[in-house]
Amino acid sequence: MNLNKVFAATALATAVMVSNIAVADVDPNLPEYSAVSGVSGNLSSIGSDTLNNLMALWAEEFNRFYPNVNIQVQGAGSSTAPPALTEGTATLAPMSRGMRQSEIQAFEERFGYAPYELPVAIDMLAVYVNKDNPIEGLSLPQVDAIFSATRRCGGEADITRWGQVGLSGAWENRDFALYSRNAVSGTYGYFKDNALCGGDFKSSINEQPGSSSVVQGVSESINGIGYSGIGYRTSGVRVVPLAAEAGGEFFEASAENAATGDYPLARYLYIYINKNPNQDLDPQTREFVKMLYSKQGQEVVFRDGYVPLPESLAARVRADLGL
């Protein structure tokens, strides 16, 4: 079975399996992780800012089992992950989007096989507004008309004021302060593809180098609106319920709505590794991956504010890798 093909789609086609478990918690059927002997050395992670904290927490958990393994984590953006994996400067390449064909091709040209894709958690991309903003919800065509210059999702007109999305009184003539990730970010690419229907951002967006700085910008601006992973929510912002279509039902960014597919901006988070089909993984990488798909690994996912994977999916990965 080629799991790279199984998990290649960006849509959460298999995420509905989460609804078979208590979606707000970790699947009790996930196995416990136990340490094995002979594991030492180095692991390096280069890639997604969205996964930066999650990678650091996993590293901390892994060091509880293996204090002699040195783990370095850098999170500058998903686009930094493929070249780092291809050049051998990273053993773990976390990404908040799937690899592009050109990135896979560059890896294949060097090694003769594709990078191995590991879906490690489910994230919800949230649209944030200031905590004092009373907006009830937005449809994706409205989000597109707010953030993009192209309106490919079908919006009838450019949206430049809060009054155009139903706010009145003092809010009616307020314009938007738009906050976005920068182009190196997988979150930027995902939002562009799925919330802007592949369109182009407005030139007035304030590009930020990290997810937390997007949320901070929104929290400090009464007119602010931005997007980031759900794990970056703070008390200074509100997460806007979203509808997939104009006039559709608004859904909160909750684990249950991600599992059922009702929340329209749910996605897998990935780690890519260099797995030669004819060779076993080195011990430290093998055990790190095995821990990811254990009860302890997915408890870290839950603690960091993301949606854990179901055992049905984790078991397929473990079986494919012989873990």
Side-chain angles (χ1 to χ4, degrees), residues 165-189:
V165 290
L167 297 192
S168 57
W171 285 92
E172 187 169 356
N173 289 314
R174 285 179 175 164
D175 56 10
F176 298 99
L178 304 174
Y179 291 88
S180 166
R181 285 300 313 279
N182 51 17
V184 75
S185 161
T187 299
Y188 173 102

Side-chain angles (χ1 to χ4, degrees), residues 131-148:
K131 65 180 176 59
D132 296 322
N133 189 315
I135 190 78
E136 270 186 50
L138 292 168
S139 68
L140 286 189
Q142 287 176 317
V143 172
D144 178 39
I146 291 169
F147 280 92
S148 87

Side-chain angles (χ1 to χ4, degrees), residues 167-306:
L167 297 192
S168 57
W171 285 92
E172 187 169 356
N173 289 314
R174 285 179 175 164
D175 56 10
F176 298 99
L178 304 174
Y179 291 88
S180 166
R181 285 300 313 279
N182 51 17
V184 75
S185 161
T187 299
Y188 173 102
Y190 181 89
F191 193 79
K192 177 181 169 72
D193 290 343
N194 294 275
L196 308 188
C197 296
D200 298 321
F201 283 94
K202 290 177 177 175
S203 59
S204 57
I205 63 168
N206 299 298
E207 289 194 3
Q208 301 295 313
S211 297
S212 59
S213 53
V214 169
V215 175
Q216 183 178 348
V218 174
S219 71
E220 293 173 353
S221 171
I222 191 70
N223 298 333
I225 184 169
Y227 63 90
S228 186
I230 193 67
Y232 287 87
R233 174 169 36 189
T234 69
S235 60
V237 294
R238 284 184 56 230
V239 175
V240 180
L242 298 178
E245 300 174 349
E249 182 180 353
F250 297 132
F251 288 96
E252 299 275 355
S254 68
E256 183 174 3
N257 290 335
T260 59
D262 288 325
Y263 184 74
L265 293 181
R267 60 178 178 172
Y268 279 123
L269 300 176
Y270 301 98
I271 295 175
Y272 286 85
I273 57 174
N274 184 342
K275 170 64 174 76
N276 187 320
N278 301 314
Q279 297 177 14
D280 293 333
L281 290 169
D282 62 78
Q284 60 268 36
T285 303
R286 181 192 68 226
E287 293 306 313
F288 188 86
V289 171
K290 188 175 181 181
M291 187 204 71
L292 295 180
Y293 293 98
S294 72
K295 186 177 181 182
Q296 291 96 323
Q298 290 301 304
E299 282 174 346
V300 170
V301 172
F302 177 64
R303 287 203 310 271
D304 203 30
Y306 298 105

Side-chain angles (χ1 to χ4, degrees), residues 31-228:
E32 294 276 347
Y33 182 78
S34 299
V36 299
S37 60
V39 177
S40 61
N42 300 301
L43 286 171
S44 59
S45 170
I46 298 175
S48 168
D49 168 76
T50 296
L51 278 102
N52 200 43
N53 194 56
L54 197 49
M55 293 302 299
L57 292 173
W58 273 325
E60 186 179 295
E61 183 72 14
F62 194 66
N63 279 145
R64 289 202 311 110
F65 296 103
Y66 305 105
N68 293 328
V69 175
N70 178 46
I71 306 176
Q72 300 291 326
V73 177
Q74 298 178 38
S78 290
S79 293
T80 65
L85 191 67
T86 300
E87 293 160 12
T89 55
T91 45
L92 305 167
M95 299 184 69
S96 60
R97 59 167 174 83
M99 271 200 197
R100 300 187 178 105
Q101 191 55 46
S102 59
E103 294 166 333
I104 294 171
Q105 185 176 345
F107 184 94
E108 285 181 329
E109 287 174 356
R110 178 154 186 174
F111 294 101
Y113 51 87
Y116 196 95
E117 181 183 88
L118 298 165
V120 292
I122 298 168
D123 183 23
M124 290 160 284
L125 204 61
V127 174
Y128 292 103
V129 293
N130 186 275
K131 65 180 176 59
D132 296 322
N133 189 315
I135 190 78
E136 270 186 50
L138 292 168
S139 68
L140 286 189
Q142 287 176 317
V143 172
D144 178 39
I146 291 169
F147 280 92
S148 87
T150 46
R151 299 199 310 279
R152 289 188 183 174
C153 295
E156 294 180 2
D158 187 23
I159 297 178
T160 60
R161 292 174 294 104
W162 284 104
Q164 292 174 267
V165 290
L167 297 192
S168 57
W171 285 92
E172 187 169 356
N173 289 314
R174 285 179 175 164
D175 56 10
F176 298 99
L178 304 174
Y179 291 88
S180 166
R181 285 300 313 279
N182 51 17
V184 75
S185 161
T187 299
Y188 173 102
Y190 181 89
F191 193 79
K192 177 181 169 72
D193 290 343
N194 294 275
L196 308 188
C197 296
D200 298 321
F201 283 94
K202 290 177 177 175
S203 59
S204 57
I205 63 168
N206 299 298
E207 289 194 3
Q208 301 295 313
S211 297
S212 59
S213 53
V214 169
V215 175
Q216 183 178 348
V218 174
S219 71
E220 293 173 353
S221 171
I222 191 70
N223 298 333
I225 184 169
Y227 63 90
S228 186

